Every structure is written in C-alpha cells, then in structure tokens.
Amino acid sequence: MTLPTLADSPFLPFTRPSIDEDTIASVAEVLRSGWITTGPKCKALEAALSQRFAGRPVRLVNSATAALEMALRLVGVGPGDEVITTPLSWVATANVILTVGATPVFVDVDPLTRNIDLGAVEKAITPRTRALLPVDLAGLPVDRDRLYAIAQQHHLRVIEDAAQSMGSRWNGREIGTFGDLVSFSFHANKNMTTTEGGCLVMNTEDEARLFEKLRLQGVTRFPDGGMDVDVLGGKANLTDVAAAIGLGQLQQLDTFNQRRRALAQQYFERFARDLGFELPPEDFSNSNWHMFQPLLPASLPGHLPTRGAFIETMRTCGIGVGVHYPAMHLFSLYRSRGHRAGEFPQAERIGERTVTLPLFPGMVDGDVSRVCEAVKRVMRGAVS
Ligand SMILES: *Cc1c(COP(=O)(O)O)cnc(C)c1O
C-alpha cells in the first residue's frame, strides 16, 4: 500500500526555526549599519534577557558550549575536580568538563523524567566534587527544590545546562530567574535562536565582569583607550547580526512556547496508545516542549528491526525523525576513559529507543495528525 496523502505533502522536518520578516529586516539593518560584530544589538539583547531573568546579570556568547565551559572556569573547576552530570544529553554537556581538565561523573537518569536521578547524585558526591551540571532534557526541568537542597548541603556550585529550557518553569518560577549559574543555547534548533549562540545568567556583576574577560581574550578596556590582560580568555563573543535575530525571537518566545504546548497536547490526544510506545511525561505547567520524544516499543515488529528502519520508513512518508540522544558514556571517547555498556541502564534504554517527532511553532493544524497517522502505518507495516 502506498501513502499518497502523506507522501504528497511537503516534507515535515523534526524542527525548523520560525524567523519573521521584521527580524529579517532588522538583520539587514545591522548589515547596512557599518557595525556588524559585538555592539549595541548584543547590549540590547543582554538587557532584555536580564529583564526577563529578574534583573540578574546576563552575558551573551557564540554558543552554549562556550557558556558552559566558561561557567566552569568562572567557578574555578579544573584538573582534579569532579563534576556530576547526566549521560543522556547533547555531548557538549560532558565535553566541556573534559575541556577544563576536570572529570565528568555520570549518574543514571530517572526512567520517567529522563533527567538526572537526584537520589543517585547524592551517592556520587565525593570530596573532589565541585559542581553539579544538570540538564533539562526536552525542556522538562530538573526538580530545582531538591537540586539546590543537595547543592547547599554539600557546598557545591550548580551550573544549569538549560540549553533546551528557555521559557520553562519550575513551580511557577521561570528557569533562569533563580538558582546559581544558568546556561541557555540559541542554536538554530532551540526554542529561540540567534542561528548559533548562547548566554549565561549569573549572580553578581563581579562574575559578569570575569565572564566578559573569559569570552574575549581576557581583555579589560580602560576609558583612556588603554587595556590590560590579567586572565587567559578565549574568543566567544556574539555578533550584532546574531543578536538582532535574538531580539526578534525573544519577543515571540512566549507565543512560540504556547504553540509548542498546544501541539504537544495534540500528540497526547492523537498518538495511538496501543502501539507500545512510551510517551514522555504529560507536563503542561513546567515544560517548554522543546521536543516530543516517545520511546520505541521494547520489541519492534519484524518488518522494522531497528530504530534506523523506523526513521527511514518515516522519511519515505515525508516525516523527519531525530535522535536526541544516544547515552554519551558509550561514545568511543568516554569508553576510552573507562565507561562501558550496562553502567547506566536507564540512560542506555532511553538512548537506544528515543525518537524525536516533529514539534516546532510553524507546524500547521493537521501536522500532528499526519505524524501520528504515519507512525501507525509504519508500525503496522502498511507502508510499501
Ligand atoms: C544545544 C545544547 C547544548 C549546546 O548548545 P550550543 O549552543 O550548540 O553550543 C548543550 N547542552 C544541551 C542539553 C543542548 O541541547
């Protein structure tokens, strides 16, 4: 059987940014202005983000990877230190810990939230532990009450990898408005974008000043035109071209996230429960619905032996499916550091079975039904 109605529709990717004409015009304006790198647009976006985050200091960088790495440097994490994190995230989360010379200590995830298991975190704390680096997977926040209770009790810094949770809330309080250091990503696939980019929300202006040095060669400039370099910094400043996009996106963030929540709700209404998928937690108060990720059934039908076959067959139905993420302790780099299969069973189970279905604000009514229908046909072998 063929699928004329599905295959004839335009290809539906698992995500796509929504950039409006006003934003495009504002980029053109920057390009014509004579000042295209870090400047007034970055300042304006930092101010707007700070306002959103309860007046806390916010500084932009050209990726969340840079924000996380510099956050670790900011709190003095280095060789000999341990940082506790999740194995179920984009690999940047653990890579930055290695980059600063420290050791990532993975603990398994909770099977329902798929976020770091805070009970396991307590057991992994050693005298070398310096910081906790939790991730809000798919925009579903880690329990902030429990997280900060653990951090306080053990005198640990927290670097929140909130790359995916822009606009998410924890019991009514927006992520970024409270807590220790909070890092957001503005990568093209995130809920708001600057093409590439990110920011760090900090506690004090002193931290922000050090962060400014770390992001640009360690330089401090003086009013008389002179400068000094007293720490080793890198090169991670954002451009005004990118910041102009961010200013347009930030204005629409709440509308985007509302649309994402409505689409996620449609998935829960329309997804065929009898196919044996494990759906994500049905959360409509905290999550910004960065992704909708069912887990494939534990035993797949004979005509679809692997996740790869599922993804490929969905593609022939005109539907893009992503994988976010395989458990990272099984990557060669981490295996070479002693990690092995079987170490974190929940992260491995989820990492092997997770699929990311289309969810982005530009989806039209009918798209969710189209995806759910395709999943049904693909699983039942009704696709030729
Ligand atoms: C996207 C992402 C990052 C990295 O963000 P970049 O801006 O691409 O550097 C880090 N952690 C998580 C959980 C992410 O989703």
Side-chain angles (χ1 to χ4, degrees):
M1 196 181 105
T2 53
L3 290 168
T5 54
L6 295 177
D8 288 353
S9 306
F11 185 79
L12 183 67
F14 72 82
T15 194
R16 187 167 55 211
S18 299
I19 312 285
D20 67 0
E21 290 304 320
D22 284 353
T23 302
I24 292 169
S26 75
V27 169
E29 194 184 300
V30 171
L31 290 172
R32 292 190 184 103
S33 73
W35 189 272
I36 59 178
T37 185
T38 312
K41 294 291 180 191
C42 285
K43 273 264 179 289
L45 182 54
E46 285 175 344
L49 288 165
S50 175
Q51 189 174 31
R52 183 160 183 130
F53 298 133
R56 304 181 72 200
V58 181
R59 294 296 182 272
L60 293 165
V61 271
N62 58 11
S63 74
T65 305
L68 290 168
E69 182 194 322
M70 287 161 44
L72 289 165
R73 295 195 192 283
L74 197 67
V75 303
V77 172
D81 296 332
E82 294 175 353
V83 178
I84 299 177
T85 193
T86 169
L88 195 65
S89 177
W90 174 230
V91 69
T93 305
N95 281 354
V96 293
I97 301 170
L98 292 177
T99 301
V100 302
T103 302
V105 173
F106 297 115
V107 303
D108 208 353
V109 298
D110 176 278
L112 297 178
T113 65
R114 307 171 189 176
N115 283 331
I116 195 164
D117 176 346
L118 291 172
V121 166
E122 294 225 68
K123 295 186 196 106
I125 294 170
T126 75
R128 290 172 170 246
T129 309
R130 290 289 307 279
L132 307 178
L133 209 170
V135 176
D136 303 321
L137 193 68
L140 182 71
V142 168
D143 180 336
R144 294 298 196 274
D145 298 325
R146 201 163 162 210
L147 172 70
Y148 281 101
I150 295 169
Q152 232 159 27
Q153 192 187 339
H154 297 273
H155 307 289
L156 302 173
R157 295 299 298 260
V158 177
I159 297 160
E160 300 180 19
D161 182 348
Q164 303 183 2
S165 46
M166 188 76 191
S168 295
R169 290 186 283 266
W170 178 251
N171 292 343
R173 301 168 77 194
E174 182 163 328
I175 300 305
T177 61
F178 66 101
D180 194 352
L181 301 176
V182 187
S183 166
F184 293 99
S185 173
F186 305 134
H187 174 267
N189 287 355
K190 302 295 172 16
N191 287 31
M192 70 165 263
T193 186
T194 57
T195 64
E196 298 284 355
C199 73
L200 190 71
V201 186
M202 289 162 278
N203 301 294
T204 65
E205 288 301 330
D206 279 348
E207 283 178 349
R209 265 190 294 278
L210 177 52
F211 189 83
E212 285 177 8
K213 290 196 262 187
L214 292 173
R215 81 176 162 188
L216 195 63
Q217 314 293 4
V219 166
T220 304
R221 290 184 184 279
F222 303 128
D224 68 358
M227 62 162 130
D228 188 30
V229 176
D230 60 348
V231 294
L232 179 59
K235 168 66 181 174
N237 54 307
L238 195 74
T239 71
D240 266 21
V241 175
I245 300 171
L247 284 164
Q249 291 274 293
L250 184 59
Q251 280 181 4
Q252 300 167 82
L253 177 67
D254 294 328
T255 312
F256 286 162
N257 285 351
Q258 238 171 356
R259 179 68 182 151
R260 284 176 176 275
R261 287 191 186 98
L263 291 163
Q265 197 123 34
Q266 290 181 15
Y267 269 118
F268 285 103
E269 285 159 10
R270 294 172 200 176
F271 201 91
R273 306 288 174 131
D274 60 350
L275 295 174
F277 282 76
E278 197 176 312
L279 298 189
E282 209 162 333
D283 173 303
F284 293 104
S285 51
N286 288 327
S287 179
N288 67 359
W289 284 100
H290 172 58
M291 294 187 282
F292 182 77
Q293 302 175 293
L295 306 186
L296 287 167
S299 69
L300 288 169
H303 67 279
L304 275 184
T306 61
R307 173 169 59 188
F310 172 81
I311 293 171
E312 198 39 55
T313 316
M314 286 293 286
R315 172 167 281 279
T316 66
C317 295
I319 301 202
V321 175
V323 172
H324 306 89
Y325 303 92
M328 65 175 109
H329 66 287
L330 301 180
F331 293 148
S332 304
L333 175 67
Y334 290 89
R335 282 182 189 267
S336 77
R337 299 178 50 85
H339 291 291
R340 55 186 166 69
E343 216 180 343
F344 307 112
Q346 293 303 336
E348 291 169 28
R349 177 185 75 92
I350 296 164
E352 281 161 15
R353 286 162 53 186
T354 190
V355 287
T356 305
L357 299 184
L359 178 57
F360 56 91
M363 280 168 68
V364 297
D365 286 326
D367 279 343
V368 169
S369 296
R370 192 177 140 203
V371 176
C372 292
E373 197 54 36
V375 171
K376 234 186 288 182
R377 294 198 195 184
V378 167
M379 291 303 286
R380 290 180 182 153
V383 180
S384 61

